[in-house]
Amino acid sequence: MRLDGVERHFGAVRALDGVDLTVDSRSCVGLVGHNGAGKSTLMHILAGSGRADRGRITIGGHEETAYSVARAQKLGIRCVFQELSLCPNLTVAENARITHASLKGIGWRKHSAALIRAKLDEIFPGHGIDPSDVVGDLAIGQRQMVEVARAFTVTEDPLHLVILDEPTSSLDAHTAGQLLAFVRRAVDQGISSILISHMLGEILSTCDRVVVMRDGKVVATDTASAFDRDRLVATMGGARQRDKTEAAARTRGETALMVRARPRGQTAGAELVAHQGEIIGLAGLAGHGQTRLLLDVYGAAMQGRPGIEVSAPVALVAGDRQTDGIFPLWSIAQNIGIRSLAGLRRGLLLSPEREEALARSWQEKIGIRTPDLDNNILSLSGGNQQKVLFARALGSDARIVLMDDPMRGVDIGTKLEVYDLIREEARKGRTFLWYTTEMDELENCDHVYVFRNGRIVADLAQSELTEEKVIQSSFEESGGPATLRGHAS
Amino acid sequence: MNAIRTLLARPWIWSFIGALIVWLAAITFTGGYGAGGMITAALSLAVFMVIVGIGQMFVITLGPGNVDLSLPANIGLASAVAMKVMDGSNSMIAVGLIAALASGMAVGAANYLLIRVLRIPPIIATLSSSFIVLSIDIAYGRGLQIKPPPAFADFTNIQILGIPILAIGGVIFAFLAGIALQRMIYGRSVLAIGQNMRAAWLAGIPVERIRFLTYTLSGALGGINGALLAGYFRGASVDIGNEYLLSSIAVVVIGGTSVAGGKANVPGIWGASLFLVLLLTMLNTFGVSAGVRLLLTGLIIVGVITAAGGQPAQR
Amino acid sequence: MSAVTSAEPAVRTGWRSPAFARMLRALLPALSLALILIAIAWLNPRAISYFGFNLMLNLAIPIALATIAQMFVITVNELDLSIGTFVGFVGCVTATWLRDAPLLGVIVLLASIGVYAALGALIHLRNLPSIVVTLGMSFVWQGLAILMLPKPGGKAPDWLQGFMSLKPPFVPFPVIAAIVIALGVHFALMRTSYGAVLRGTGGNAQAIRRAGWSILKTKVTMFALAGVFGVLSGMALVGITTSADANLGNGYTLLAIAGVILGGGEFIGGRVSPIGAVIGALTLALAASPLLTFMHIPPDWQVAANGAILIIVLAARALISRREADR
């Protein structure tokens, strides 16, 4: 399968800028790159669910002119999308039927159930999923397993290539290992795959070749053995060793206590503590209770909640902009002002002048690139929308700012600007709780708590923070009290 | 030219243009006869739609699924309450109005409790509560056709230069509602909740308090409307509010408010109310039968919404 | 146990499991129906008989059919506010043209199903709010019905009257009809392979589209099915009442929505239950008048009692769902 010079534009944004990609049969290609590098867009084009503005798709030697989902299915190309594409109201077997049009007629349910069960058993022995389970009842990791198994199930169409977009993001180390081992076995049986992952170790250990993308372009292609971790990171463009001393190594507890919280389901042991002016990192794999704790802290600030102490107004910067952040019908200025409505009043009425003044001052401080703050929020690029959310929180009266992995899909330039801003605000006495999945960002923090399975499993000061430690505690199978350092404060 | 263009860009202008066209068609048919009277009558009747329409607008703006189906029963009960309390006596008018208001607010608050505490979808919650309110009304006001106090009945029919005083009040009220929607924390909060309830909560908006206020407001406006209707039509009755079930929703939507929530339009409600009332007047002057009238009303609603187009997909 | 389940600490078995909560919720419609039947039996034992059921459940058939029609629309996350007046319109056609000019009657009824399908297409293609479109259509159907039958009248075709007053041995006709409707629709929607696609449209339309299915087709199918069952409902209703009236079905819009929700359906997410919907409709039909009459509830308060029953059942369901959500 080959792609030549594929381009894709979203408005003025060039998501893909002349990408060439070749996948040989019987091979596993690893695709890495930062968020927003264009990996997902590329995969949608391969799966037929996205359209290329320009470029050629050649499969099995034939150039495809009218490429579509149905055509991809015919040619044996399947895709496991990053956002789950199961119907939560249907059973596992019924979901298998959705993507396999040939599962019909009398006895289709039994047939479908048998197929998906066999594939689950093959890939994830001991999965604990029944084909008659309704998907909405399954844990997120199990859903991901179903999705993977469904893609590898063969009915009447052949199966040549499976695209796996972050397939292990919700799986624990054990299941992820099962999956990667299966991918290797499948390659040996003649099924190629494209593996997209942020876990560089997975890429290096599983793939034959590695393709690195940056800013919509392929910047490097080589055999996996030619890469090591450092070279991969360097090629991706994320190799910045920051001056660690910059984040001042203060002793904790000198300033006032702002937040004290313990994750639900954790009765004893570690708790999260934040003092005034601190940047506290919440680390660990995605979806292991970090967001939940942030929301609990937020809820406690809004209407009180036993067991969580919050001693100042709180604002939250959402990571999932679409569902948690922006108001799509409103202007940029209105989106910034919504958290500060009480302060924008003059008498009983909101003052448009004050709203605009607030927005303008933050536009300058945080560099929102727009000709007019009265433009609709959706006229901004993703990174600038995220800046609006930062402006909303930082422009408010909140002394504590919660950040829910806010840099997803934000370009590196924006990130650096925002990091500086956060440190500056912290110096001025604001407290930050920062959930992030990126190691680079943790280095901005004064103190880091690592989460696993909804619990705090490690508590690292800035000075002892290393990527190995974070990864190790994220994956540890027995996160018993031995690994916890009790907090004396 | 520019002024016209900006005017045409306003979504509510179309409902007024529609109202104008319908009126012109009607007076063309009558040869100009009764043109002024038609407007006076239309203004009087449109006010009642505007009052409940604005309450319904705030509710619908709260987002998909939010709608107040209890308005007809609420109006009926409030009309009975107002007439009973006033008891035909001019001195009790204010007390009666307050009682109607309180009755409406109680219904609205009860709706919210059903939605919030029992977690019943708003459509079903307001529907069930309307059943109960209807029964209370039947039992409470049965067989009693109490006339409104003369001063109250006269008040609802006063005209200044051919413009009903209620219509003037209705315009002022709509203006205030527009201010509340666009320039007050309450309105902003409603708009935010309608776009994305979760994001609104995360942006520090007291979502549940705002929803409570909105359902109570809708109930209160239903209550006031009931009292005024009873005054205008010289007496309370159980089915006095029946037509407002559909028309309150219709004027909101035709007026340019988004059913998907988060986008509301107050002037459009006036335009849409005049449009609907004048449409009925026109069809009456044409002498068409009730069936044709309903048929055309329905087709026009479907046509308007199709022409206005849908909202961008809600993901 | 694999480590996956521990990633989200959820109890997966026993009485706190989601499967159990769902079963409880699925049983709730049946439980409320049973409760009402017990209440009726206690108040008036003679009602629990062949003729008693025939009498009490007679009107339940058209309600159940209208509820099923509404359920199809709700399955794809839409709502039909016109089903009531549509039933009335069909009633008028049945009592006039279908009797006097059967061919014309059949053509008109088929065309009205086509209108329903076209509405589904319109709503999907123009991305219109179904509430408003069907609200407008409710005026259209009622207007047509009044044009056709300005005054109550007409007469149901004899074969239809005969069919609706069948007296099969042992089991009353309404009970048989309810079972046939429930199982038939259950099979079609819950057991066939295309039924899974139809329900998936409500659950995750994007996933269905990505898998290569046409959402337009699923929506049109569901609206057309709603039209079919609306027609059946109107015919059944006229078969029972023997004559028609333009306002015959007006109450059915809200009854049908309530029936779907009572039967365990949800407004969004494609979670519906045909069997539950039929049971919900039966519950409403029984609660609507027989029970209240036997309880000697004065007519003034019968509507209120209906509302209260709705609230109680839905509150019970909300409690169960809350436990589901809290797991």
Side-chain angles (χ1 to χ4, degrees), chain C residues 59-74 79-88 90 116 181 185 222-223 225-237 248-261 274 277-278 280-282 284:
Chain C
L59 279 171
I61 303 170
I63 296 180
L65 289 165
T67 305
I68 292 288
Q70 185 68 264
M71 186 200 70
F72 284 126
V73 177
I74 288 180
L79 201 59
D80 182 4
L81 294 186
S82 64
I83 190 71
T85 54
F86 180 64
V87 167
V90 171
Y116 251 83
I181 295 167
V185 178
M222 285 313 228
F223 272 86
L225 281 172
V228 170
F229 277 81
V231 166
L232 292 179
S233 171
M235 289 173 63
L237 183 54
L248 200 58
N250 284 8
Y252 277 31
T253 301
L254 299 178
L255 269 181
I257 299 176
V260 174
I261 302 301
V278 169
L282 295 187
L284 284 173

Side-chain angles (χ1 to χ4, degrees), chain A residues 69 94 97-98 108 137, chain C residues 22 191 193 199 210 213 270:
Chain A
V69 177
E94 286 169 344
R97 185 266 180 277
I98 298 294
W108 70 274
D137 289 346
Chain C
R22 163 147 352 124
R191 287 284 185 264
S193 55
R199 282 178 294 131
R210 267 191 198 157
W213 301 96

Side-chain angles (χ1 to χ4, degrees), chain C residues 261-282:
Chain C
I261 302 301
L262 208 55
E266 282 170 29
F267 280 119
I268 44 174
R271 289 170 208 266
V272 294
S273 156
I275 295 178
V278 169
I279 294 178
L282 295 187

Side-chain angles (χ1 to χ4, degrees), chain A residues 79-158:
Chain A
C79 190
V80 178
F81 291 104
Q82 202 171 341
E83 61 274 41
L84 297 169
S85 41
L86 299 172
C87 296
N89 59 332
L90 303 184
T91 67
V92 172
E94 286 169 344
N95 266 292
R97 185 266 180 277
I98 298 294
T99 48
H100 294 278
S102 63
L103 286 173
K104 59 185 178 194
I106 296 163
W108 70 274
R109 300 172 77 230
K110 277 211 184 95
H111 189 46
S112 172
L115 278 174
I116 193 83
R117 189 201 306 271
K119 200 47 87 173
L120 277 168
D121 287 345
E122 186 184 349
I123 308 177
F124 306 104
H127 49 78
I129 302 168
D130 192 273
S132 64
D133 283 344
V134 173
V135 165
D137 289 346
L138 297 176
I140 178 104
Q142 291 178 312
R143 290 187 214 178
Q144 194 140 27
M145 288 152 69
V146 170
E147 187 132 21
V148 169
R150 183 174 75 165
F152 278 103
T153 300
V154 182
T155 48
E156 65 183 9
D157 294 322

Side-chain angles (χ1 to χ4, degrees), chain B residues 250-270:
Chain B
V251 295
V252 169
V253 175
I254 295 175
T257 293
S258 159
V259 196
K263 200 175 105 197
N265 194 312
V266 179
I269 289 182
W270 254 111

Side-chain angles (χ1 to χ4, degrees), chain A residues 171-419:
Chain A
L171 301 181
D172 59 275
H174 175 66
T175 356
Q178 288 181 332
L179 171 61
L180 296 175
F182 175 78
V183 168
R184 282 312 318 173
R185 290 205 302 277
V187 168
D188 293 338
Q189 288 160 17
I191 301 173
S192 304
S193 11
I194 298 178
L195 177 62
I196 304 175
S197 178
H198 281 305
M199 313 289 279
L200 302 182
E202 288 178 355
I203 297 281
L204 291 172
S205 66
T206 312
C207 300
D208 304 309
R209 279 191 323 126
V210 178
V211 174
V212 184
M213 285 187 73
R214 190 166 71 201
D215 300 333
K217 294 192 181 97
V218 171
V219 291
T221 311
D222 211 335
T223 57
S225 50
F227 281 102
D228 61 10
R229 207 191 153 70
D230 291 339
R231 188 178 155 210
L232 262 189
V233 172
T235 326
M236 282 161 68
R240 296 166 304 106
Q241 273 304 321
R242 197 199 312 280
D243 223 357
K244 277 206 174 187
T245 52
E246 193 183 343
R250 273 171 305 193
T251 32
R252 303 196 69 194
E254 282 180 350
T255 49
L257 179 79
M258 300 301 278
V259 178
R260 181 198 296 276
R262 186 172 277 159
R264 289 185 202 188
Q266 186 162 357
T267 46
E271 56 182 5
L272 181 144
V273 176
H275 300 90
Q276 189 179 359
E278 282 181 336
I279 305 176
I280 303 294
L282 281 66
L285 297 179
H288 276 250
Q290 301 96 330
T291 302
R292 180 117 195 211
L293 183 69
L294 286 183
L295 289 179
D296 283 351
V297 170
Y298 182 80
M302 287 285 279
Q303 58 227 124
R305 184 186 191 96
I308 295 183
E309 288 173 46
V310 185
S311 57
V314 165
L316 184 134
V317 183
D320 189 337
R321 285 187 295 277
Q322 309 305 327
T323 61
D324 296 354
I326 59 168
F327 296 102
L329 302 175
W330 275 354
S331 72
I332 300 163
Q334 283 174 315
N335 265 287
I336 293 177
I338 182 70
R339 177 63 183 75
S340 314
L341 289 180
L344 298 176
R345 273 183 309 182
R346 182 169 289 161
L348 260 179
L349 300 185
L350 295 169
S351 148
E353 295 81 34
R354 285 195 188 185
E355 186 170 69
E356 198 188 316
L358 174 82
R360 191 165 302 284
S361 77
W362 279 94
Q363 181 191 17
E364 280 159 22
K365 251 184 246 181
I366 205 167
I368 298 167
R369 281 181 260 287
T370 175
D372 189 348
L373 286 168
D374 288 333
N375 285 350
N376 183 279
I377 177 87
L378 296 180
S379 67
L380 297 178
S381 69
N384 276 299
Q385 288 179 17
Q386 197 64 45
K387 284 184 183 175
V388 168
L389 297 189
F390 272 104
R392 182 194 292 170
L394 297 176
S396 74
D397 60 354
R399 303 306 301 155
I400 304 169
V401 178
L402 311 175
M403 302 194 285
D404 181 17
D405 202 4
M407 303 294 192
R408 280 179 234 172
V410 172
D411 62 281
I412 188 74
T414 307
K415 282 184 183 177
L416 292 177
E417 288 170 30
V418 175
Y419 295 161

